[in-house]
Amino acid sequence: MRTDVPVVLDGLTKRFHRTTALDAVSLEIEPGEVFGYLGPNGAGKTTTMRMLVGMLRPSAGSARVYGLDTWRQAVAVHRAVGYVPGEPALYPRLTGLEHIDYLSHLRGRADRPMARAVAERLGLDLTRRSRTLSRGNRQKLAIVLALMSAPRLLILDEPTSGLDPLVQREFHALLREHTQGGGAVLLSSHILGDVQRVADRIGVVREGRLVAVERLADLSGKSLHHVRASFADGVRAEDFGGIPGVRDLELRGSILTCSAPQSALDVLLKRVSGHAVLDFECAEAELDEMFLAYYSGDGHADQRAAQDAA
Ligand SMILES: Nc1ncnc2c1ncn2[C@@H]1O[C@H](COP(=O)(O)OP(=O)(O)OP(=O)(O)O)[C@@H](O)[C@H]1O
């Protein structure tokens, strides 16, 4: 049992009556890593996280945090984990400071200085009662409460959905400092852009299955490019046919458009340069576009997922 690995999921499965919310997910998260957990609504992200913090019992498989079984050793797991749930549960009549003192008291720790420092960086007023806070400020308070005991693993369920871009940037800086100190982060979202700036790796979950895990650096290398070429003379679509990975090829008059992965660009360019070119554009597609393929479940993505799993 490796007690230095923040997260090990092994065939983790959760069924609710006839719904399989999570289906045999296996995954490891390394120390010092921010793992972005992406998927559309209802994909199984929250279910995974609730099992990781010992709130739900797995139907099959296991979840371990630093070698601890998250269901059987939930109390010890709680000491190692800071959790921001999708819907933070706060006491409406308590102020931020009162929440901090109450949790510090329960844990037998003096976490005020750390809590105040995080609150200041996020621009949160700790003297207001939580029922008077806006959605974004409630989220900030949940983040403060999760970070204040300096846990080794942070599990964050869509933590930035209500935060403005400047606060998001500060929050990402906090996460980076956390991982530089050897901590790890599991961060969920249904929007790639939310995790793209901070994640080292990304996993895509769809209908309870982990369909892809990619290093962000590799993903950029594989991303789609939109190509547009305008020719001086007539060309035929067949001149550009049969290049592996090229999609949405269209020829309108003497203008060719298509999408191509980086691996196809060299062959495509050579075919294009076989003709008299008037104009040529090649732009990298947004990463979100690549992920749409996973979400929509077309054959291309499933093939990629199978390759990744192999
Ligand atoms: N307590 C429960 N009882 C029955 N079904 C549930 C329960 N919790 C979750 N589910 C179902 O499990 C599936 C996965 O839900 P989950 O909340 O994990 O998705 P999610 O990826 O977090 O979605 P979102 O982005 O909308 O928060 C959904 O079909 C959901 O309806």
Side-chain angles (χ1 to χ4, degrees):
M1 189 79 44
R2 286 184 58 197
T3 56
D4 57 329
V5 184
V7 172
V8 178
L9 308 183
D10 184 12
L12 189 66
T13 300
K14 182 67 192 179
R15 288 182 282 270
F16 296 106
H17 308 288
R18 258 171 270 161
T19 310
T20 301
L22 205 69
D23 193 0
V25 167
S26 296
L27 174 72
E28 284 194 19
I29 299 178
E30 301 290 327
E33 182 172 51
V34 178
F35 190 90
Y37 199 46
L38 280 173
N41 293 133
K45 305 181 295 295
T46 300
T47 302
T48 309
M49 292 182 156
R50 297 182 78 195
M51 283 192 280
L52 265 172
V53 293
M55 289 167 66
L56 276 179
R57 185 181 197 156
S59 309
S62 65
R64 290 188 174 273
V65 164
Y66 297 108
L68 300 163
D69 183 282
T70 57
W71 179 252
R72 288 190 207 95
Q73 296 166 287
V75 175
V77 167
H78 288 162
R79 281 192 211 111
V81 173
Y83 175 48
V84 175
E87 307 278 331
L90 300 170
Y91 298 97
R93 293 161 64 93
L94 296 192
T95 65
L97 267 181
E98 285 164 349
H99 276 88
I100 290 162
D101 288 346
Y102 179 57
L103 280 187
S104 300
H105 174 72
L106 286 182
R107 293 172 182 157
R109 298 172 49 110
D111 290 328
R112 245 198 194 205
M114 172 77 165
R116 276 184 185 278
V118 175
E120 186 152 336
R121 285 180 65 177
L122 297 177
L124 173 66
D125 179 354
L126 289 173
T127 63
R128 291 180 59 176
R129 291 184 198 281
S130 76
R131 69 156 180 251
T132 69
L133 294 176
S134 67
R135 188 166 110 76
N137 283 324
R138 289 169 60 81
Q139 229 158 351
K140 289 181 194 174
L141 179 55
I143 292 168
V144 168
L145 298 176
L147 265 64
M148 70 182 200
S149 59
R152 286 199 285 169
L153 172 65
L154 295 174
I155 297 180
L156 312 170
D157 198 351
E158 310 229 6
T160 55
S161 51
L163 303 183
D164 67 55
L166 276 181
V167 177
Q168 280 197 29
R169 202 187 306 168
E170 195 58 41
F171 173 64
H172 288 165
L174 280 166
L175 297 188
R176 274 282 150 239
E177 288 160 31
H178 173 77
T179 54
Q180 276 156 12
V185 181
L186 174 63
L187 175 69
S188 82
S189 180
H190 56 277
I191 303 166
L192 177 63
D194 276 357
V195 300
Q196 192 173 338
R197 261 166 263 120
V198 71
D200 301 297
R201 274 194 306 155
I202 279 178
V204 180
V205 63
R206 197 181 71 211
E207 292 171 10
R209 288 171 181 267
L210 190 63
V211 295
V213 176
E214 296 265 10
R215 213 154 265 292
L216 204 72
D218 298 343
L219 198 60
S220 316
K222 288 180 192 168
S223 65
L224 279 184
H225 291 68
H226 293 309
V227 175
R228 184 178 179 281
S230 166
F231 298 98
D233 308 313
V235 291
R236 294 173 309 157
E238 301 90 88
D239 298 342
F240 307 96
I243 305 174
V246 169
R247 306 161 63 166
D248 309 325
L249 191 117
E250 258 187 42
L251 189 63
R252 283 202 190 146
S254 58
I255 295 175
L256 171 85
T257 54
C258 64
S259 300
Q262 198 175 43
S263 57
L265 286 180
D266 185 55
V267 178
L268 181 64
L269 257 175
K270 283 176 178 143
R271 300 258 190 106
V272 167
S273 64
H275 302 272
V277 178
L278 287 179
D279 191 22
F280 184 80
E281 287 168 30
C282 179
E284 200 175 357
E286 292 290 318
L287 286 179
D288 261 339
E289 225 177 296
M290 288 183 63
F291 275 86
L292 278 176
Y294 289 116
Y295 291 176
S296 61
D298 72 7
H300 174 73
D302 287 338
Q303 191 188 329
R304 282 271 310 280
Q307 282 165 3
D308 289 334

